Amino acid sequence: MAPTLEDVKSKAQDTVSSVQSKAVELKSSIPTSRDELPSKDELKEKAEQGAKKAGSGLRSLAAGGVGGICAVVVGHPFDLVKVRLQTADKGVYTGAFDVVRRTIAREGMVRGLYAGVSAPLVGVTPMFAVSFWGYDMGKKLVEATTTVPVKNNTPQYSIAQISAAGAFSAVPMTLITAPFERVKVLLQIQGQKELKPGEKPKYAGGVDVVRQLYKEGGVRSVFRGSAMTLARDSPGSAAYFATYEYIKRSLSPKDAEGNATGELSLSAVVVAGASAGVAMWIPVFPLDTIKSRLQSAAGNPTIGGTIREVYGKGGIKAFFPGFGPALARAVPANAATFLGVELAHKAMNNVFG
């Protein structure tokens, strides 16, 4: 049924009224005198707030990079033991100490225990930087989607909100973590192979790994394991940041009103960081085993096929080889990570205010 003339006139009048109403609102928001203009102090305060928000992300990037370097230097030998236990056939090693003993005997102390360190050392700065930047962005996303109370100009996030921000941090980080871990795993496990006289290792270094992987299977081969990396890091990061914040708040000195002052001692930072590392690994270790197997296998393995293969070799227990070294690494490596992050933030605050 076609609209009548009265219907058209009614709709036109409604439209005109709506436009006039919006025009009145716009006009009322425009300053009409000098007194209604924002003061110089207000403009300065808004500019400072904008600069502070922009600087927050950059500082998180820088601090995360410092923390990542500390984590690699302290934790790489533990990580190497974990990966070799995860990827070796059953019976190759009797345990973590056997891996260390045979690695040093075959490859030397530094070269052996730090095999494959070039990939994470080169990649760890952007990897951890993006992680802490993603965490900072995650908190801003939480502020935009939920209610966050503010006290003394500081958002008071709940532990659940911190956990959500931590889970988000894994999303951008996976783009960097997955290929670097693929390279690291392949460099770590190639030292297990007994070379014949005159035989050279398959990979000469991190760049050579990327070159050969790309030649064999393109970008898809370089990024193999990305889905499992995200599946591991999203819940792991949620537990990681939530635990750190909870321990940090528990250990932070309180003022007369019972509010945390934020003046945390370095020893408390170490305890909180170590606890966060342990909390991260406990729920996601089986996923890490699948990821390591997937990234080190020949051919084109699938996630489902890898899970069936691991389970078939030893049941549930087969998903936990290297669990001890992983937890042993988590304590010093993550203590070093957060210590580096906190010290970096303090240094930047002293320099830039």
Side-chain angles (χ1 to χ4, degrees):
M1 183 177 176
T4 64
L5 182 60
E6 291 299 325
D7 290 335
V8 173
K9 286 175 66 178
S10 177
K11 287 183 180 179
Q13 287 175 349
D14 290 342
T15 303
V16 171
S17 297
S18 176
V19 171
Q20 288 176 337
S21 176
K22 289 183 179 179
V24 170
E25 289 179 10
L26 181 61
K27 185 178 179 181
S28 63
S29 65
I30 299 174
T32 57
S33 66
R34 180 176 295 181
D35 293 337
E36 292 180 1
L37 290 171
S39 67
K40 188 180 293 184
D41 290 338
E42 289 175 334
L43 291 173
K44 184 179 179 182
E45 184 179 349
K46 286 183 179 180
E48 287 177 350
Q49 288 177 349
K52 190 176 180 181
K53 287 182 179 180
S56 173
L58 293 175
R59 292 188 187 190
S60 294
L61 276 170
V66 173
I69 292 172
C70 294
V72 170
V73 172
V74 172
H76 188 80
F78 295 93
D79 187 62
L80 178 135
V81 172
K82 171 185 73 72
V83 169
R84 289 192 173 181
L85 283 171
Q86 286 177 325
T87 57
D89 292 330
K90 190 175 181 180
V92 173
Y93 299 112
T94 59
F97 288 105
D98 187 41
V99 177
V100 174
R101 181 183 60 80
R102 292 170 65 175
T103 296
I104 293 174
R106 186 167 53 236
E107 304 166 64
M109 174 76 78
V110 176
R111 187 178 178 185
L113 295 180
Y114 280 90
V117 74
S118 58
L121 199 55
V122 170
V124 79
T125 300
M127 191 164 64
F128 273 76
V130 169
S131 174
F132 279 85
W133 172 82
Y135 175 55
D136 195 59
M137 294 301 103
K139 288 195 289 188
K140 286 180 172 58
L141 186 62
V142 165
E143 286 184 52
T145 56
T146 62
T147 302
V148 180
V150 178
K151 193 178 228 182
N152 297 326
N153 294 324
T154 303
Q156 305 296 308
Y157 303 99
S158 68
I159 296 301
Q161 290 170 330
I162 291 291
S163 182
F168 175 81
S169 72
V171 177
M173 187 176 71
T174 298
L175 295 173
I176 299 173
T177 305
F180 273 104
E181 291 218 352
R182 172 93 153 115
V183 172
K184 181 201 70 174
V185 166
L186 290 174
L187 287 174
Q188 285 179 327
I189 66 170
Q190 79 168 354
Q192 296 178 119
K193 181 183 177 183
E194 295 286 351
L195 299 177
K196 298 175 183 178
E199 184 183 4
K200 293 183 178 180
K202 181 179 179 180
Y203 302 113
V207 175
D208 188 43
V209 174
V210 174
R211 183 182 62 79
Q212 291 195 46
L213 289 177
Y214 185 78
K215 186 176 180 182
E216 293 167 5
V219 174
R220 187 174 181 179
S221 179
V222 176
F223 279 83
R224 184 201 290 178
S226 294
M228 286 309 304
T229 301
L230 181 60
R232 177 199 67 178
D233 287 349
S234 189
S237 295
Y240 187 61
F241 286 106
T243 301
Y244 178 75
E245 190 64 27
Y246 177 79
I247 300 294
K248 182 179 175 180
R249 290 179 186 181
S250 300
L251 297 177
S252 179
K254 307 292 191 297
D255 59 21
E257 297 178 358
N259 299 315
T261 63
E263 298 171 0
L264 205 62
S265 67
L266 294 183
S267 59
V269 171
V270 167
V271 171
S275 301
V278 172
M280 176 187 71
W281 276 114
I282 289 176
V284 301
F285 192 84
L287 300 175
D288 184 65
T289 297
I290 298 166
K291 180 199 72 70
S292 293
R293 285 276 186 175
L294 196 66
Q295 290 183 321
S296 63
N300 296 297
T302 62
I303 294 175
T306 303
I307 293 172
R308 287 191 294 271
E309 180 187 355
V310 173
Y311 185 79
K313 288 184 177 180
I316 297 297
K317 189 178 179 180
F319 290 94
F320 289 88
F323 186 57
L327 292 186
R329 172 189 178 275
V331 172
N334 290 286
T337 298
F338 279 102
L339 188 60
V341 169
E342 294 287 352
L343 290 175
H345 271 300
K346 282 187 177 181
M348 286 186 285
N349 288 338
N350 289 335
V351 173
F352 303 108

